[in-house]
């Protein structure tokens, strides 16, 4: 699929949850070949070099017929804060579509689950719509969604996704919505109550959550497909900056690196050396948005 | 007047001659910021570039440093990639044929941990087709036991250059580090050792930390600064090297626009390399090339060579000799 550099028009920007924004971009060339799981690099600065580097964001929704895609993002630093301040009608340089996509379930797989923590919901929504369509093709197919956040006001409304037949459940750290606990607690609860163990898990979220989901999946022998992050400069495989520690294909004791923008961002969880992953430092927002 | 008597209204002549190396134009990519070329083929025609300088190649593949490898800084970025690369054999088998097919002019950047490794690389590449020149990276600040030692010591810098010189008949570029007390000293040493061309600068050694987690932002702790932030340092280095040697110089550091590139040509660089700018905007190098051509037309210049090294440093209003000669 050809990668494109395109001037995208910002058609709509909206705050959808605490510190969380959704923007709609008109970029027909990028949208034409975009698939769920892939991402774009967005130039934040309208001119000059502040900030210098583009920021990676997953496709949240892809509307091929209209040449539009949506990004859902959380304000975590200066770049995302500046993006949240961008006005409708302005334009942004965007490069995409980049990286690989979520694979659809294999023929023998009928029960699949999506696990999202916090802003990790972003790439799961487009995938959720595709899986809802997939599930409608056959009665025995089922799609679960486990979605957790710190508190109710951080949960992003899921729109029509629930009405498409996806069985969604929620968790919050403080119990303000859904069950009190983590996404992994939700998954345990669901398996207990429904008696259905998913054959495939799709997951995205903070590192600790993803590592816990990966461990859960390994223990239960469930195939887990994860969308991962790393600091990026180029997004196109040129700088080798986005490396993550990975298991060697033949020899599990030998570490190697995978590059999130090229071999990812979607990985089979067994490929990743979770114990060697460095969590991204969190910066209190009071020191960011001024 | 053009060479065949036509007037400068026709396209300006962008060709440059760097010692034994003839280039169709003076805009090259910088090693490590352009992958192996293929990564950019969706965005631009590789054959248009003065040359594609590929990611540094070593004898054996290298896994590179642990992440995080990148940290953004004001108008710049720090990297500590650790010279991850596929190794010379895979480069020759998988990367070079693609570049040949695309008619790219290829400069192979090489690195090693000993003079012998540099020499062996030059020897291994000598009979491969489609390589216009070698660029010897004696300056990468990332690998603890590697590059740094060669680039900061004039004798060692000269020895590596000599070792490669003995094994290659190709045009030889030696790439200098700015992390030295006197770059002119190193430049003269590698010129005496037989390099045809000098390129500078590599990244500026730097550091970034996170005050909340109290951790360095790079796993390697130290990294190399690149981007607009280093342009004045780079320009100073190029200026000093041009004054110190008689071989041609390639300017590198913080070039984002055609006007940035022209600054380097003005102080005497015969060509430039575009680095970090390509990471941010993949089409940067060809846009700089187009801008260069526009500038030459605007200035009524028939050839880029008429502009190179034409900086006027004469003192207009001398009050006292020292005021002009000083550096502040
Ligand atoms: C493939 C991919 C898809 C992503 N999709 C989304 C998404 O859909 N929605 C969303 O909200 N976020 C997404 N992110 C994360 C998003 O890119 C970062 O939150 C953003 O870059 C932070 O920029 P900032 O200037 O606000 O923060 P900064 O002040 O720069 O840093 C804040 C934190 O973000 C991390 N960060 C900074 N720059 C980058 C970078 N270039 N790449 C990755 N991390 C960085 C830093 O390590 C730091 O911990 C994605 C990241 C990747 C790699
Ligand atoms: C991510 C990255 C990787 C680099 N890798 C190499 C390398 O392998 N060999 C080398 O000689 N220089 C390497 N460099 C240095 C660049 O070629 C260039 O000298 C430097 O970045 C300054 O130019 P710029 O400001 O235009 O980027 C690298 C730079 C960056 C940013
Ligand atoms: S971000 Fe540059 S190689 Fe992945």
């Amino acid at each position: 699929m050809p990668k494109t550099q395109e001037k995208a028009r910002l058609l709509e920007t909206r705050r959808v949850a605490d510190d969380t924004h959704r923007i709609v971009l008109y970029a027909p060339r990028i949208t034409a070949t975009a698939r769920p799981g892939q991402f774009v690099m967005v130039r934040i600065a309208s001119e000059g070099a502040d900030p210098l580097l583009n920021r990676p964001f997953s496709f949240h929704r892809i509307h091929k017929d209209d040449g539009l895609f949506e990004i859902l993002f959380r304000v975590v630093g200066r770049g995302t804060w500046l993006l949240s301040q961008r006005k409708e009608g302005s334009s942004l340089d965007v490069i995409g579509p980049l990286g690989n996509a979520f694979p659809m379930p294999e023929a023998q797989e009928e029960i699949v689950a999506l696990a999202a923590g916090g802003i990790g919901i972003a790439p799961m929504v487009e995938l959720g719509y595709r899986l809802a369509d997939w599930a409608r093709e056959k009665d025995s197919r089922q799609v679960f969604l486990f979605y957790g956040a710190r508190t109710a006001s951080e949960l992003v409304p899921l729109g029509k996704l629930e009405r498409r037949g996806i069985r969604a459940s929620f968790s919050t750290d403080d119990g303000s919505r859904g069950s009190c606990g983590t996404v992994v607690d939700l998954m345990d609860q669901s398996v207990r109550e429904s008696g259905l163990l998913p054959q495939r898990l799709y997951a995205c979220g903070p590192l600790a959550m993803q590592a816990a989901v990966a461990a859960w999946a390994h223990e239960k022998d469930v195939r887990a497909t994860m969308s991962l992050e790393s600091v990026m400069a180029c997004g196109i495989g040129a700088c080798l900056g986005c490396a993550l520690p990975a298991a060697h294909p033949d020899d599990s004791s030998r570490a190697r690196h995978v590059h999130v923008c090229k071999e990812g961002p979607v990985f089979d969880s067994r490929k990743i050396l979770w114990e060697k992953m460095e969590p991204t430092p969190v910066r209190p927002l009071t020191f960011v948005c001024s | 007047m053009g060479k065949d008597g036509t007037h400068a209204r026709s396209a300006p002549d962008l060709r440059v001659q760097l010692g034994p190396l003839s280039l169709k134009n003076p805009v090259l990519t910088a090693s490590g910021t352009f992958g192996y070329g293929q990564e950019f083929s969706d965005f631009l025609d590789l054959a248009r570039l003065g040359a594609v300088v590929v990611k540094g190649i070593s004898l054996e593949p290298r896994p590179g440093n642990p992440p995080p490898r990148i940290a953004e800084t004001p108008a710049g970025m720090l990297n500590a990639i650790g010279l991850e690369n596929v190794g010379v054999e895979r480069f020759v088998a998988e990367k070079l044929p693609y570049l040949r097919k695309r008619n790219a002019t290829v400069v192979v950047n090489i690195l090693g941990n000993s003079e012998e490794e540099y020499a062996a690389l030059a020897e291994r590449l000598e009979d491969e087709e489609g390589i216009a020149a070698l660029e010897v990276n004696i300056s990468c600040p990332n690998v603890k036991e590697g590059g740094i030692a060669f680039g900061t010591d004039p004798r060692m810098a000269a020895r590596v250059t000599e070792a490669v010189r003995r094994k290659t008949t190709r045009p030889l570029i030696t790439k200098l580090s700015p992390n030295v007390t006197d770059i002119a000293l190193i430049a003269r040493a590698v010129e005496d050792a037989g390099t045809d061309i000098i390129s500078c600068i590599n990244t500026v050694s730097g550091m970034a930390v996170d005050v909340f987690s109290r951790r360095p932002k790079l796993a390697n702790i130290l990294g190399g600064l690149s981007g607009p932030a280093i342009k004045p340092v780079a320009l100073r280095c190029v200026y000093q090297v041009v004054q110190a040697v008689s071989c041609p110089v390639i300017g590198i550091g913080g070039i984002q626009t055609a006007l940035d590139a022209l600054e380097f040509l003005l102080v005497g660089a015969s060509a430039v390399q575009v680095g970090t700018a390509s990471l941010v905007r993949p089409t940067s190098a060809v846009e700089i090339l187009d801008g260069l051509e526009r500038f030459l037309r605007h200035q009524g210049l028939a050839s880029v060579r008429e502009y190179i090294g034409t900086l006027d440093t004469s003192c207009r209003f001398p009050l006292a000799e020292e005021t002009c000669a000083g550096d502040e």
Side-chain angles (χ1 to χ4, degrees):
Chain A
M1 287 298 137
K3 304 179 186 102
T4 309
Q5 182 174 291
E6 191 169 14
K7 209 167 253 319
R9 181 164 285 273
L10 179 61
L11 296 183
E12 195 187 315
T13 173
R14 185 187 236 145
R15 183 184 166 282
V16 291
D18 277 2
D19 301 322
T20 308
H21 300 255
R22 196 190 62 208
I23 58 177
V24 181
L25 293 170
Y26 177 68
R29 285 190 294 148
I30 290 174
T31 308
T33 58
R35 290 176 295 155
Q38 290 188 294
F39 68 101
V40 290
M41 292 295 282
V42 178
R43 178 137 193 81
I44 305 282
S46 39
E47 57 180 281
D50 177 31
L52 177 68
L53 300 177
N54 299 338
R55 297 292 191 265
F57 297 98
S58 302
F59 290 109
H60 173 56
R61 292 304 319 274
I62 301 165
H63 307 285
K64 279 221 162 78
D65 295 343
D66 304 319
L68 311 173
F69 67 84
E70 298 175 28
I71 289 173
L72 181 76
F73 67 95
R74 208 180 147 74
V75 174
V76 297
R78 188 166 155 74
T80 43
W81 180 70
L82 287 169
L83 189 59
S84 74
Q85 302 296 305
R86 274 297 192 102
K87 295 277 177 285
E88 289 174 1
S90 65
S91 56
L92 291 155
D93 282 321
V94 180
I95 301 169
L98 304 173
N100 63 358
F102 286 115
M104 288 303 278
E106 285 171 11
Q108 78 284 4
E109 294 170 339
E110 303 215 306
I111 317 287
V112 302
L114 306 168
I119 195 63
I121 191 68
M124 292 308 194
V125 172
E126 181 64 30
L127 178 65
Y129 278 98
R130 310 268 173 129
L131 289 173
D133 291 343
W134 164 85
R136 263 201 295 245
E137 290 167 13
K138 212 170 155 195
D139 280 346
S140 49
R141 289 178 179 170
Q142 294 212 45
V143 183
F144 290 86
L145 168 65
F146 308 111
Y147 177 21
R150 280 178 300 198
T151 186
S153 57
E154 286 185 2
L155 285 167
V156 175
L158 294 177
K160 298 194 204 82
L161 194 56
E162 284 180 84
R163 269 180 272 149
R164 297 279 182 101
I166 285 191
R167 297 168 67 171
S169 49
F170 303 88
S171 70
T172 47
D173 293 352
D174 61 2
S176 51
R177 180 165 174 206
S179 57
C180 182
T182 67
V183 169
V184 174
D185 298 335
L186 264 188
M187 300 195 303
D188 277 331
Q189 189 187 330
S190 162
V191 173
R192 245 188 348 259
E193 287 170 7
S194 68
L196 294 173
L197 182 68
Q199 290 144 309
R200 184 192 283 267
L201 251 176
Y202 297 93
C204 186
L207 180 60
M209 172 259 178
Q210 286 196 312
V213 169
W216 186 92
H218 292 191
E219 189 200 299
K220 302 199 156 39
D221 207 21
V222 173
R223 186 124 172 234
T225 307
M226 307 260 179
S227 174
L228 297 182
E229 286 188 12
S230 142
V231 182
M232 291 188 174
C234 71
I236 59 172
C239 72
L240 308 179
C242 61
L244 288 182
H248 198 274
D250 316 313
D251 174 0
S252 58
S253 66
R254 267 169 56 208
R256 63 182 190 116
H257 290 119
V258 286
H259 301 93
V260 175
C261 76
K262 204 166 51 175
E263 291 125 290
V266 176
F267 294 95
D268 188 308
S269 68
R270 288 166 302 189
K271 277 219 177 106
I272 302 300
L273 287 181
W274 293 96
E275 65 283 6
K276 293 211 169 157
M277 297 268 278
E278 167 104 11
T280 29
V282 181
R283 180 167 280 235
L285 278 187
T286 34
F287 294 94
V288 172
C289 316
S290 49
Chain B
M1 299 281 267
K3 167 166 96 180
D4 50 4
T6 55
H7 211 264
R9 227 175 288 275
S10 60
D13 183 358
L14 290 168
R15 288 172 302 169
V16 287
Q17 187 71 36
L18 285 76
L21 179 64
S22 315
L23 297 176
K24 55 180 149 319
N25 67 63
V27 181
L28 291 68
T29 64
S31 178
T33 61
F34 208 71
Y36 299 104
Q38 191 162 2
E39 292 82 352
F40 286 78
S41 58
D42 282 347
F43 300 102
L44 51 81
D45 176 7
L46 299 175
R48 280 199 65 201
L49 298 167
V52 170
V53 184
V54 298
K55 175 70 187 166
I57 300 290
S58 50
L59 274 181
E60 299 296 328
R62 293 190 182 212
N65 286 330
R69 293 176 168 188
I70 301 235
E72 194 179 44
T73 57
M77 63 176 271
L78 286 165
N79 89 80
I81 307 300
L83 299 172
E84 174 179 348
N85 75 93
V86 297
V88 70
E89 293 309 328
R90 267 188 69 197
F91 171 73
V92 166
E94 296 169 22
K95 311 292 179 184
L96 197 53
Y98 178 85
L99 289 163
R100 273 199 299 261
K101 202 171 76 201
R102 288 300 173 110
N103 288 318
T105 304
V106 179
V107 173
V108 182
N109 180 287
I110 60 172
L111 65 110
N113 286 338
S114 64
E115 286 162 42
E116 293 73 27
E117 278 182 37
Y118 280 100
L121 273 164
E123 194 167 19
R124 173 65 187 84
L125 292 168
E126 186 63 4
D127 295 325
E128 293 301 328
E129 263 171 59
I131 299 173
L134 297 185
E135 180 177 63
V136 184
N137 175 11
I138 58 168
S139 46
C140 186
N142 287 341
V143 175
K144 284 171 191 131
E145 75 281 12
I148 186 75
F150 297 106
T152 49
D153 180 286
R155 277 167 312 142
M156 279 200 281
R159 284 219 304 271
V160 184
T161 307
E162 259 165 37
V164 177
R165 176 76 291 170
R166 272 197 295 272
K167 298 291 182 190
T168 189
T169 54
R170 290 210 167 92
L172 178 59
I173 307 169
T174 305
K175 181 169 176 180
L176 304 188
S177 165
N179 308 317
V180 296
T181 314
D182 183 0
I183 196 165
L185 194 69
I186 313 277
R188 277 192 294 266
V190 299
E191 183 182 41
D192 291 344
T195 199
D196 298 309
I197 302 160
I198 289 172
S199 61
C200 62
I201 58 175
N202 210 312
T203 54
V204 178
S205 182
M207 181 170 179
V209 297
D210 184 79
V211 294
F212 294 98
S213 65
R214 307 187 190 190
R215 300 266 293 152
K217 287 195 178 176
L218 298 172
N220 191 55
I221 305 174
L222 303 185
L225 184 63
S226 64
I230 70 168
K231 195 181 72 171
V233 177
L235 201 61
R236 182 269 295 174
C237 288
V238 170
Y239 175 71
Q240 288 181 324
V241 171
V242 166
Q243 302 300 308
V245 298
S246 55
C247 70
V249 176
I250 302 174
I252 320 166
I255 297 174
Q256 302 253 104
T257 65
L259 296 183
D260 294 335
L262 282 156
E263 292 179 18
F264 284 83
L265 299 180
L266 185 57
V267 304
S270 304
V272 295
Q273 293 180 8
V274 178
T276 301
S278 296
L279 301 179
V280 177
R281 195 172 165 81
T283 48
S284 291
V286 288
E287 285 167 6
I288 287 169
L289 184 56
D290 292 339
L292 208 59
E293 189 169 333
R294 265 200 315 280
F295 176 87
L296 295 173
R297 277 181 204 272
H298 176 265
Q299 298 285 301
L301 297 170
S303 156
V304 65
R305 298 183 298 278
E306 292 172 27
Y307 189 76
I308 289 169
T310 54
L311 182 72
D312 177 3
T313 53
S314 64
C315 197
R316 294 270 160 78
F317 306 103
L319 295 173
E321 283 304 310
E322 295 92 306
T323 336
C324 271
D327 57 9
E328 266 163 52

